[in-house]
């Protein structure tokens, strides 16, 4: 007989008690290295990014707001600083910045609000002697009067609510989205999968959130994209920055479809149209519907998930930034994985991409420096370098043209975590090009000199940004710099790059921050603001506390 293993979480992490599905590395041999006590000296532990007191964290799950309290669940390893035996953990906040970590641990959940009541929908695993398969389960809060909703129950009479049937590959069937209601009053949700090597998002419908029927065709699929994890599907307003409830439809609404590609570990999205009668999503013409498409973040950011914050009328994005350090170093520091600062997102004026910005609440931590916002004046089109048509991959272009390679208009930008003689530095910079008499900006985050430590992954990241010359002639660059993470927002949040860095020398008072221009043309800096950030207040119920360095 099959047994349902409830305490297993997965969005992208699938753990089966005696075997492992390869969606995250599993370091069995490193378990023995796991130290029992976490060192007090923690130069890379962040001040205002979300992280648990210890151990490995991956996907954000079920972010939401209920009765004025934000909830964030996340996947957490019980094996220490390495992935494995993943369970759910839970934290709450009133401002998305200061958090209380609760002692609830559950499996992968995704709440949808039916008549104002949260329901969590998550992927579980059914295990038999012959095989394992992925199913969708639901859970409800035990006590709606508990402001923190710490306890959740999983009614056995109707779980699992969705099982893989027909052509569905039962080992590749996970991550239900937040549900939305069509004009017919029927609820829908979509689940990530693949058929052959084509990524697909299967669609299900229900009246009561308990009985689900599979639609004949998926909501969307794309050729040769491999397994789709953590799909996210939501409406955005054509005008303005306000977010929309997940069920909103209408003439001034576009839809966003995002997937996390298991094969490349990138989150990409398209903007398109949702037809609620046919239950089909169609990306706009010209959108690239594969790994080369638009990304929320061109650095480290995976398994992301949005929710609609109805109190502030905004759509909020969460995403996981994994480590770039070696597993041995992770084990030494006792933890691995951060959540990027939560961001609001909305449709850009041109309707062709999203823009993102750190949630406003993060500004309450500003005192003097480490949230840096610089604005450069856009040079004249005649004064910038000509773009070579063969430059199609921004990441490769950034690697071949680091900050030391001079151009006319750029590189200019920020040097973060720089030590006295620049042996260590992380360069976040822009270059401006003329491409067929239009501006193209290349944004780079260059980690190649970020640390003297050899074992880190120091990949350079890059993104192209289309710039409308009428955009006030300004190019902004904002970086949130927090110990071992640098999150950079280029040109009003048109491209975001998250990087992880572990300086050895540029720590504490030895760390310096510079603005630089290494292009031959002058670049005017029209404004520069920098704030130091206070530590966010984090309460761990029961777990460890960390001292500052
Ligand atoms: C539900 O939560 C409220 C608020 O915390 C508490 O007063 C009440 O005793 C709880 N009810 C049960 C049945 O646990
Ligand atoms: C089903 O998915 C699993 C996990 O990704 C994969 O190993 C297997 O080859 C798939 N089977 C088929 C028939 O595609
Ligand atoms: C992605 O899609 C674009 C446009 O449809 C296509 O030109 C390109 O070859 C695709 N790339 C991959 C890796 O499939
Ligand atoms: C985590 O980081 C490593 C190395 O930096 C990378 O190769 C891997 O794909 C990352 N995983 C995810 C899920 O982002
Ligand atoms: C600027 O370019 C010079 C000459 O190539 C180089 O020595 C210097 O390190 C560069 N500055 C930065 C920030 O890379």
């Amino acid at each position: 007989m099959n047994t349902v293993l409830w305490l297993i979480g997965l969005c992208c992490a699938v753990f089966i008690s005696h075997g492992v599905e390869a969606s995250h590395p599993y370091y069995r041999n490193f378990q023995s290295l796991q130290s029992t006590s976490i060192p007090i000296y923690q130069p890379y532990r962040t001040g205002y990014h979300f992280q648990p007191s210890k151990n490995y964290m991956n996907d954000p799950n079920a972010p939401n707001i209920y009765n004025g309290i934000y909830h964030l669940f996340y996947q957490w390893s019980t094996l220490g600083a390495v992935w494995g035996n993943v369970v759910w953990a839970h934290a709450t906040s009133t401002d998305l910045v200061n958090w209380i970590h609760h002692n609830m641990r559950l499996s992968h959940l995704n709440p949808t609000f039916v008549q104002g009541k949260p329901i969590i929908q998550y992927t579980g695993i059914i295990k038999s002697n012959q095989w394992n398969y992925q199913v969708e389960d639901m859970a409800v809060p035990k006590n709606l009067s508990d402001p923190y909703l710490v306890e959740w129950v999983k009614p056995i009479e109707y779980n699992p609510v969705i099982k893989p049937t027909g052509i569905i590959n039962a080992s590749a069937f996970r991550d239900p989205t937040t549900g939305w209601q069509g004009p017919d009053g029927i609820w829908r949700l979509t689940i990530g999968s693949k058929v052959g090597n084509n990524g697909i998002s299967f669609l299900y419908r229900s009246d009561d959130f308990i009985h689900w029927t599979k639609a004949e065709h998926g909501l969307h699929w794309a050729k040769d994209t491999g397994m789709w994890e953590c799909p996210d599907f939501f409406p955005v307003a054509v005008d303005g920055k306000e977010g929309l409830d997940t069920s909103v439809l209408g003439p001034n609404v576009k839809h966003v479809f995002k997937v996390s590609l298991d094969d490349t570990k990138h989150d990409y999205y398209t903007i398109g149209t949702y037809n609620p009668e046919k239950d089909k999503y169609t990306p706009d013409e010209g959108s690239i519907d594969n790994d080369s498409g638009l990304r929320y973040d061109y650095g480290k950011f995976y398994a992301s998930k949005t929710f609609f914050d109805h109190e502030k009328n905004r759509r909020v994005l969460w995403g996981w930034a994994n480590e770039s350090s070696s597993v041995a170093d992770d084990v030494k520091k006792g933890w691995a994985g951060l959540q990027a600062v939560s961001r609001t997102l909305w449709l850009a004026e041109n309707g062709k991409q999203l823009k993102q910005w750190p949630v406003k609440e993060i500004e309450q931590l500003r005192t003097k420096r480490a949230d840096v916002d610089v604005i450069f004046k856009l040079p004249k089109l005649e004064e910038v370098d000509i773009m070579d048509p063969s430059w199609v991959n921004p990441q490769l272009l950034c690697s071949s043209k680091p900050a030391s390679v001079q151009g006319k208009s750029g590189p200019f930008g920020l040097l973060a975590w720089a030590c006295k003689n620049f042996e260590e530095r992380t360069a976040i910079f822009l270059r401006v090009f003329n491409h067929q008499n239009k501006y193209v900006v290349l944004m780079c985050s260059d980690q190649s000199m970020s640390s003297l430590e050899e074992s880190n992954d120091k990949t350079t990241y890059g993104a192209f940004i289309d710039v409308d010359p009428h955009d006030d002639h300004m190019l902004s660059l904002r970086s949130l710099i927090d110990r071992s993470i640098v999150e950079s927002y280029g040109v009003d949040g048109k491209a975001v790059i998250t990087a992880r860095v572990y300086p050895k020398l540029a720590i504490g008072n030895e760390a310096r921050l510079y603005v630089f221009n290494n292009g031959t043309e002058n670049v005017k800096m029209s404004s520069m603001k920098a704030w130091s950030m206070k530590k966010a207040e984090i309460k761990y119920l029961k777990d460890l506390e960390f001292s500052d360095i």
Side-chain angles (χ1 to χ4, degrees):
M1 242 196 51
N2 291 330
T3 42
V4 179
L5 303 185
W6 291 111
L7 290 179
I8 282 179
L10 55 123
C11 168
C12 313
V14 185
F15 175 81
I16 301 155
S17 40
H18 298 292
V20 180
E21 269 234 2
S23 75
H24 285 306
Y26 178 69
Y27 303 97
R28 194 176 283 279
N29 297 334
F30 282 99
Q31 286 171 48
S32 53
L33 292 180
Q34 177 58 32
S35 55
T36 44
S37 61
I38 305 292
I40 293 294
Y41 178 67
Q42 289 279 354
Y44 306 127
R45 215 177 148 75
T46 60
Y48 58 88
H49 280 76
F50 182 92
Q51 63 182 126
S53 66
K54 59 179 180 179
N55 290 12
Y56 182 100
M57 169 178 64
N58 52 300
D59 312 0
N61 293 140
N64 230 306
I65 181 167
Y66 184 68
N67 284 344
I69 293 186
Y70 293 101
H71 293 260
L72 180 66
F73 301 83
Y74 57 92
Q75 299 193 18
W76 190 79
S77 165
T78 55
L79 294 187
V82 293
W83 183 85
N85 198 24
V86 171
V87 297
W88 269 54
H90 178 205
T92 58
S93 170
T94 51
D95 58 9
L96 296 168
V97 174
N98 303 293
W99 292 90
I100 303 174
H101 289 259
H102 298 287
N103 277 319
M104 176 267 198
R105 281 166 192 156
L106 245 191
S107 351
H108 182 205
L109 315 170
N110 247 325
T112 292
F113 290 73
V114 179
Q115 282 142 8
K117 286 191 194 141
I119 290 180
I120 277 176
Q121 193 97 26
Y122 67 100
T123 305
I125 291 174
I126 292 191
K127 193 172 145 64
S128 74
N129 288 339
Q130 288 82 39
W131 65 324
N132 302 291
Y133 65 90
Q134 299 169 3
V135 296
E136 313 314 320
D137 295 310
M138 70 175 274
V140 291
K142 191 165 181 190
N143 180 0
L144 280 173
S145 311
D146 166 13
Y148 299 118
L149 303 180
V150 172
E151 279 190 85
W152 291 75
V153 290
K154 299 162 279 191
I156 49 168
E157 63 270 32
Y158 43 74
N159 270 308
V161 290
I162 300 176
K163 287 186 197 170
T165 51
I167 61 157
I168 297 176
N169 180 341
S171 315
F173 184 60
R174 54 185 178 267
D175 310 336
T177 57
T178 299
W180 71 96
Q181 207 170 14
D184 51 12
I186 294 172
W187 287 96
R188 280 111 165 126
L189 59 74
T190 181
I191 299 174
S193 188
K194 64 174 175 186
V195 173
N197 196 38
N198 300 330
I200 185 163
S201 192
F202 288 114
L203 183 83
Y204 288 81
R205 300 193 186 92
S206 174
D207 287 325
D208 58 5
F209 246 76
I210 294 169
H211 304 94
W212 291 91
T213 311
K214 183 176 166 296
E216 251 169 62
H217 54 71
L219 176 74
H220 187 50
W221 70 278
K223 203 166 163 17
D224 278 337
T225 46
M227 175 65 193
W228 281 5
E229 299 194 294
C230 309
D232 199 11
F233 181 58
F234 56 90
V236 283
V238 168
D239 294 309
K241 295 186 175 182
E242 285 202 348
L244 299 173
D245 184 89
T246 310
S247 299
V248 168
L249 299 168
N252 294 315
V253 171
K254 299 286 296 182
H255 273 77
V256 175
F257 187 87
K258 182 277 310 187
V259 285
S260 304
L261 290 182
D262 199 16
D263 290 355
T264 60
K265 300 288 182 250
H266 293 146
D267 282 21
Y268 85 90
Y269 68 90
T270 51
I271 314 269
T273 310
Y274 169 51
N275 178 331
E277 278 81 48
K278 296 200 170 126
D279 263 328
K280 275 255 147 215
Y281 168 76
T282 312
D284 285 347
E285 220 179 293
S287 18
I288 296 173
D289 201 359
N290 60 33
D291 189 43
S292 316
L294 293 162
R295 292 191 209 157
Y296 283 155
D297 193 303
Y298 294 83
K300 297 205 129 183
F301 196 79
Y302 194 68
S304 65
K305 171 102 192 126
T306 64
F307 73 99
F308 175 59
D309 177 355
H310 56 87
E311 294 206 358
K312 300 229 157 99
N313 276 329
R314 60 184 174 180
R315 189 156 280 273
V316 178
L317 170 69
W318 281 98
W320 162 50
N322 76 344
E323 299 300 312
S324 295
S325 44
S326 67
V327 173
D329 280 356
D330 295 346
V331 169
K332 238 184 267 166
K333 66 191 197 309
W335 56 270
L338 301 176
Q339 302 300 333
V341 161
S342 52
R343 308 169 181 175
T344 47
L345 53 74
W346 66 95
L347 193 63
E349 295 76 6
N350 68 6
K352 289 187 179 153
Q353 67 158 105
L354 298 171
K355 281 186 172 181
Q356 298 166 64
W357 206 241
V359 292
K360 183 100 184 112
E361 287 91 329
I362 203 76
E363 294 167 18
Q364 67 184 277
L365 299 176
R366 285 172 169 177
T367 58
K368 270 185 301 179
R369 192 196 297 153
D371 175 353
V372 197
D373 196 351
V374 209
I375 299 177
F376 301 97
K377 203 161 178 301
L378 190 66
K380 291 204 180 80
L381 197 55
E382 310 83 67
E383 289 166 7
V384 309
D385 300 289
I386 303 289
M387 171 109 177
D388 185 313
S390 72
W391 295 340
V392 288
N393 183 324
Q395 178 161 327
L396 290 181
L397 189 55
C398 286
S399 314
S400 66
K401 288 179 181 289
S404 53
V405 175
Q406 288 195 320
K408 274 161 95 182
S409 46
F412 52 84
L414 297 167
L415 284 188
W417 297 122
C419 63
K420 214 182 288 166
N421 57 7
F422 299 103
E423 279 170 275
E424 286 186 337
R425 61 185 203 200
T426 297
I428 307 109
F429 58 88
L430 306 175
R431 289 176 189 270
V432 185
F433 296 107
N434 175 337
H435 180 53
Q436 297 168 345
N437 286 324
K438 281 190 187 137
Y439 287 105
V440 170
V441 171
L442 177 71
M443 174 178 172
C444 304
S445 183
D446 175 2
Q447 285 66 246
S448 58
M449 294 179 69
S450 59
S451 173
L452 294 181
E453 172 59 52
E454 292 298 325
S455 65
N456 298 328
D457 170 3
K458 297 180 192 168
T459 305
T460 289
Y461 306 114
F464 284 126
I465 309 176
D466 288 327
V467 175
D468 183 341
H470 307 296
D471 277 356
D472 287 345
H473 298 83
M474 298 298 169
L475 296 174
S476 69
L477 184 61
R478 178 177 176 190
S479 286
L480 298 175
I481 303 166
D482 188 8
R483 298 284 180 83
S484 61
I485 185 166
V486 181
E487 276 181 75
S488 303
Y489 294 73
V491 190
D492 299 333
K494 275 191 161 174
V496 188
I497 301 180
T498 297
R500 301 296 311 274
V501 296
Y502 311 86
K504 289 271 201 200
L505 306 173
I507 295 180
N509 290 337
E510 295 305 310
R512 292 167 169 76
L513 176 69
Y514 296 89
V515 179
F516 75 97
N517 172 26
N518 230 358
T520 52
E521 297 286 327
N522 284 335
V523 175
K524 281 211 183 93
M525 190 163 70
S526 64
S527 125
M528 153 124 193
K529 294 183 208 138
W531 299 266
S532 149
M533 303 290 271
K534 281 185 289 193
K535 256 182 97 156
E537 190 184 311
I538 312 288
K539 287 188 192 132
Y540 297 107
L541 301 183
K542 286 223 178 106
D543 276 339
L544 300 173
E545 287 277 359
F546 284 90
S547 68
D548 217 334
I549 57 165

